[in-house]
Amino acid sequence: MTRDPRFDILFEPVRIGPVTAPNRFYQVPHCNGMGRSYPSSMTEMRRTKAEGGWGVVTTEEVEIHPSADHSPWMGGRLWDDRDVPVLARMCEAVHEYGALVGCELNHAGAMAANRYSRDVPMAPSHTPVALHDPVQARAMDLSDIANLRRWHREAAIRARDAGFDIIYVYAGHQLSTISHFLSPYRNRRSDAYGGSLENRARLLREALEDTRDAVGDTCAIAIRLSVDELMGPQGITSDGDGRELVEMLAEVPDLWDVNISGWENDSATSRFKAAGYQEDYIRWVKGVTSKPVVGVGRYTSPDTMVSLVKNGVLDFIGAARPSIADPFLPKKIDEGRVEDIRECIGCNICVSGDNMFVPIRCTQNPTMGEEWRKRWHPERIAPRHADESVLIVGAGPAGLEAARALGQRGYAVTLADGAEVLGGRLITERRLPGLSEWGRVVDHRIWQISQMANVETFLASALTPETVQEFAADHVVIATGAKWAADGIGRENPRGISIASPARILTPDDIMAGDRPDGPVVIFDDDHFYMGGLMAEVLRKDGIDVTFVTPAAHVSEWTYQTLEQHKIQSRLMEMGVKIKLSHNLTRIAPGKVTLACGYSGAQEDVEADSTVLVTMRNPVDALYQSLAQAGLPSLTRIGDCLAPGTIAAAVYAGHRYAREIGEGDMPNVPFRRELPQIAAQD
Ligand code: ADP
Ligand code: SF4
């Protein structure tokens, strides 16, 4: 197929100072939990993006000096020349496909506690570091500022020597010393580097000029700036300091990479923000500078991309998450295969990998982070190992991805589900407030398998052990999912909760099926991800009096990993949900529940006509267990049916099954590892 001429504009080369990008697809800096610790994995992931058509591929944050050591977060490093070879490999990999490669240099100042280097952190003014470490950053004097400029300059030279085409001066996300100087909120200095905007921007301007002086003849100089910190007049605002700053430095860099901060606003999830949400803040930038502008907003639609360029909002379509969910997004547009794009769902599971200091993972793209480790390519997969048939029971995320990938390999696949529609848990979860984009997980796979002559689907087909056996497939995969428990068993109460009948107990499955309590309700969230908070939203919207109880210290505590915790707790508070933290639910009786303080054990009763238990899910595995007795030649259970988990884990399980079928016994460690090395003494 060929490209739709409407999208030609996206494939125009764009000049950035001394270099030229082959097109307008720009993978902006993004963390990946691999960086310096898993450099082969990081390199292969970036190479795949370049292969998929991104005209510019950049690093994540690259530390320039041990005085700002962001451990245990695993970004890149250019502390000295010994760090050059790793990033040189990344540059070579990206250059293989004709893309430009960019390096986001950073000195994280008071955001880094220097847990590894044990150096004393530095900031514009004395301040405790982020993360609640018992560590303070010291106020920088003029010699510190001179040193920082020297480190930045030396790192820029190393980056050029590694092969980078674009060198960043990072002033975004309140994550860099340069941005701390800029911020009226953080900078309390009264010298030439504090006070007026001109003074606060002095270090930024100097770093830009130093970088240009050092490497500007061959490399483009980019600035990454948060034009609005979303903290009102205390911080930078896009109609105040942010705009003045762009006006002041308009022609100084070769490229403006603009966004909003902090990170939770820049990488807002679809639960809270629609695609394009940053446009209101950055629309004016192109009118102020003649230099190319890149911006982000979870853009996955080529029509939107074209209108952004045509309307003079952006020159480059920046993407972190859309490039993670589909590293081949540009190629698919180029080849006239727009409907094959695997669109990001805005869930931030990718961010959770980085926040947990492990390689990135993605709900939509099970190969993300596995490009080197498992040699999984997002588009290519080996042909079937034999002319065999596979019956998959259950068309949730696990079953659908298994069907899609097995279909791609050429197996004869039958996908059967008892429900009237495909989608499993997402049939109902996508209808929860803010989760509609999550439906893309099933929509994408349903479309893909609809194009495959070798994949058949059967709906409203609840299979029994007998019907499965009659089917006589060479391989049977059970992906029958899970159901929420109604007995309270979970982390805090491994033996369940005492329930005196006729107390009314509901689970999220009941609520999603339309069951509604009328009187006051207690939600007990021992799960800590999104479901408990969403149950509170749903019921509160119905005008029900809701008390949210959790043994955790925060509402939806794990959503800290997806950058949503603060937003979720604020939303519940705004909606008038009563919140009881650090409390267990010990007894449920008609009309009331008993809570116990997690610290003192003190008990109290709370009025509740109904209790919604969000504790754990139980596998729906009766079919699997019966078939296991029957001794089928090849029987496997995957996804929630094996052990309930995230949608990302179910998609991964389906994909993994499809990759490993016919492989025989897998080794104990079924992936390549980047082993620690004993250092040569010097
Ligand atoms: P996962 O997240 O692991 O993919 P889901 O819960 O999303 O699991 O999907 C499981 C699917 O399995 C549901 O669509 C459900 O209707 C289907 N299912 C469960 N038991 C049977 C059965 N015996 N026959 C056919 N389909 C079944
Ligand atoms: Fe998008 Fe979710 Fe994948 Fe991140 S994990 S890229 S937010 S689909």
Side-chain angles (χ1 to χ4, degrees):
M1 281 187 275
T2 51
R3 180 164 87 211
D4 185 329
R6 277 186 304 149
F7 305 139
D8 285 354
I9 194 169
L10 300 174
F11 293 87
E12 289 171 352
V14 181
R15 196 163 175 78
I16 316 173
V19 296
T20 301
N23 60 39
R24 296 181 186 271
F25 296 93
Y26 194 117
Q27 181 245 279
V28 295
H30 72 77
C31 300
N32 52 88
M34 301 192 287
R36 63 178 180 275
S37 297
Y38 304 111
S40 304
S41 303
M42 179 276 290
T43 297
E44 201 55 31
M45 179 268 288
R46 302 290 188 203
R47 181 208 304 276
T48 309
K49 305 270 194 90
E51 186 194 350
W54 296 87
V56 181
V57 175
T58 70
T59 61
E60 63 279 22
E61 160 195 45
V62 173
E63 296 174 357
I64 63 169
H65 191 263
S67 61
D69 144 43
H70 228 155
S71 305
W73 276 271
M74 285 188 261
R77 238 172 217 169
L78 274 176
W79 285 0
D80 65 23
D81 291 348
R82 282 170 295 188
D83 292 314
V84 171
V86 162
L87 290 168
R89 283 248 311 269
M90 172 188 159
C91 293
E92 279 165 33
V94 173
H95 282 156
E96 259 177 56
Y97 297 93
L100 296 180
V101 56
C103 183
E104 186 188 55
L105 298 178
N106 188 33
H107 187 273
M111 286 297 140
N114 295 349
R115 290 176 180 172
Y116 170 68
S117 72
R118 301 180 66 180
D119 222 337
V120 175
M122 292 189 289
S125 309
H126 290 297
T127 183
V129 298
L131 304 172
H132 298 186
D133 281 37
V135 172
Q136 272 195 215
R138 65 185 175 82
M140 292 166 72
D141 61 24
L142 293 182
S143 68
D144 295 320
I145 292 175
N147 283 335
L148 175 56
R149 289 179 58 185
R150 179 167 54 79
W151 300 329
H152 200 282
R153 184 188 164 92
E154 289 168 358
I157 292 169
R158 274 181 222 117
R160 179 201 56 199
D161 293 347
F164 286 100
D165 308 291
I166 302 172
I167 313 292
Y168 269 81
V169 175
Y170 184 36
H173 295 126
Q174 299 159 24
L175 263 181
S176 74
T177 309
I178 291 174
S179 64
H180 300 155
F181 269 84
L182 267 182
S183 169
Y185 181 64
R186 295 177 189 278
N187 181 340
R188 306 191 303 276
R189 303 177 73 97
S190 51
D191 63 0
Y193 288 88
S196 66
L197 178 63
E198 198 180 348
N199 281 356
R200 284 183 277 120
R202 190 173 307 281
L203 180 58
L204 169 60
R205 182 190 282 276
E206 287 170 347
L208 285 164
E209 287 166 357
D210 292 344
T211 312
R212 173 161 321 281
D213 183 52
V215 299
D217 51 341
T218 52
C219 300
I221 314 300
I223 176 172
R224 189 154 211 226
L225 177 73
S226 299
V227 293
D228 203 309
E229 298 181 313
L230 264 56
M231 18 186 337
Q234 301 186 91
I236 289 173
T237 56
S238 64
D239 52 4
D241 276 10
R243 189 180 176 114
E244 267 180 65
L245 193 61
V246 181
E247 284 168 356
M248 195 187 284
L249 299 174
E251 303 302 313
V252 180
D254 297 313
L255 174 103
W256 284 91
D257 177 346
V258 287
N259 63 9
I260 56 174
S261 68
W263 190 16
E264 70 284 3
N265 296 318
D266 184 25
S267 290
T269 59
S270 57
R271 184 168 166 188
F272 291 93
K273 293 283 175 203
Y277 58 96
Q278 303 216 13
E279 235 173 284
D280 290 345
Y281 299 95
I282 57 105
R283 187 175 291 119
W284 49 268
V285 174
K286 255 191 76 61
V288 174
T289 174
S290 70
K291 306 291 178 173
V293 175
V294 55
V296 293
R298 253 183 23 249
Y299 297 119
T300 55
S301 145
D303 288 305
T304 307
M305 297 175 189
V306 167
S307 77
L308 286 163
V309 175
K310 287 202 166 151
N311 294 333
V313 179
L314 296 174
D315 298 288
F316 286 103
I317 306 302
R321 292 172 292 176
S323 76
I324 293 167
D326 196 343
F328 274 60
L329 181 148
K331 261 233 152 101
K332 288 175 184 176
I333 300 173
D334 194 21
E335 292 171 358
R337 298 192 292 126
V338 170
E339 60 294 332
D340 286 337
I341 294 173
R342 198 168 42 239
E343 291 179 283
C344 168
I345 68 166
C347 63
N348 278 5
I349 285 293
C350 48
V351 174
S352 78
D354 185 60
N355 270 339
M356 296 187 295
F357 325 120
V358 289
I360 187 169
R361 68 265 342 257
C362 167
T363 302
Q364 273 286 53
N365 174 11
T367 66
M368 179 45 54
E370 304 292 352
E371 300 87 350
W372 180 83
R373 190 161 89 146
K374 291 196 161 177
R375 298 185 168 92
W376 285 3
H377 189 276
E379 300 301 309
R380 290 192 291 276
I381 190 164
R384 66 183 174 207
H385 76 287
D387 188 6
E388 290 182 342
S389 61
V390 187
L391 169 65
I392 303 167
V393 187
L400 277 167
E401 173 60 14
R404 189 207 62 76
L406 288 165
Q408 192 186 355
R409 293 191 65 181
Y411 289 95
V413 179
T414 304
L415 176 63
D417 199 295
E420 305 280 327
V421 275
L422 299 168
R425 62 189 286 187
L426 276 166
I427 298 168
T428 46
E429 288 190 28
R430 69 188 299 175
R431 290 195 226 117
L432 290 169
L435 299 197
S436 63
E437 276 188 29
W438 289 24
R440 290 172 172 180
V441 171
V442 297
D443 296 345
H444 171 72
R445 290 170 173 84
I446 291 170
W447 163 255
Q448 293 295 322
I449 60 177
S450 75
Q451 303 303 298
M452 296 174 178
N454 54 329
V455 179
E456 267 193 293
T457 53
F458 290 98
L459 287 169
S461 311
L463 296 196
T464 61
E466 294 70 38
T467 47
V468 170
Q469 280 176 286
E470 276 163 28
F471 201 83
D474 296 313
H475 304 273
V476 174
V477 184
I478 306 297
T480 45
K483 290 275 170 240
W484 285 94
D487 50 15
I489 293 179
R491 287 187 173 84
E492 199 69 10
N493 302 292
R495 303 191 64 87
I497 295 172
S498 152
I499 302 173
S501 63
R504 186 161 183 223
I505 305 294
L506 293 161
T507 68
D509 292 319
D510 299 324
I511 304 285
M512 288 188 283
D515 238 346
R516 287 287 184 278
D518 0 86
V521 60
V522 162
I523 296 172
F524 180 58
D525 184 9
D526 197 13
D527 171 61
H528 312 296
F529 196 14
Y530 57 92
M531 190 56 82
L534 278 171
M535 290 298 102
E537 266 192 54
V538 167
L539 297 181
R540 194 67 202 116
K541 265 193 193 138
D542 278 1
I544 296 168
D545 180 334
V546 176
T547 305
F548 181 97
V549 180
T550 178
H554 303 99
V555 170
S556 302
E557 197 160 74
W558 197 79
T559 61
Y560 167 74
Q561 311 293 358
T562 57
L563 309 176
E564 294 171 294
Q565 193 283 325
H566 193 271
K567 290 175 202 276
I568 294 172
Q569 189 156 339
S570 314
R571 179 174 282 180
L572 296 200
M573 289 167 80
E574 279 160 21
M575 294 178 86
V577 173
K578 294 169 204 153
I579 294 170
K580 199 83 185 167
L581 304 171
S582 304
H583 275 72
N584 192 14
L585 178 56
T586 55
R587 187 159 190 279
I588 304 173
K592 67 169 189 184
V593 301
T594 305
L595 311 184
C597 170
Y599 296 99
S600 68
Q603 303 224 338
E604 66 183 282
D605 287 343
V606 174
E607 189 196 352
D609 282 354
S610 313
T611 307
V612 180
L613 292 175
V614 190
T615 59
M616 65 176 277
R617 290 182 296 147
N618 289 310
V620 175
D621 61 357
L623 178 62
Y624 172 83
Q625 299 297 354
S626 306
L627 289 167
Q629 306 282 328
L632 294 185
S634 167
L635 172 71
T636 311
R637 60 189 154 158
I638 59 168
D640 293 332
C641 169
L642 174 63
T646 58
I647 294 167
V651 171
Y652 177 79
H655 193 84
R656 182 174 176 183
Y657 177 84
R659 291 262 179 187
E660 292 180 359
I661 188 171
E663 289 287 308
D665 287 342
M666 297 301 285
N668 280 353
V669 182
F671 47 81
R672 290 197 279 181
R673 282 194 296 157
E674 306 191 52
L675 293 167
Q677 307 229 329
I678 303 289
Q681 299 302 310
D682 51 12

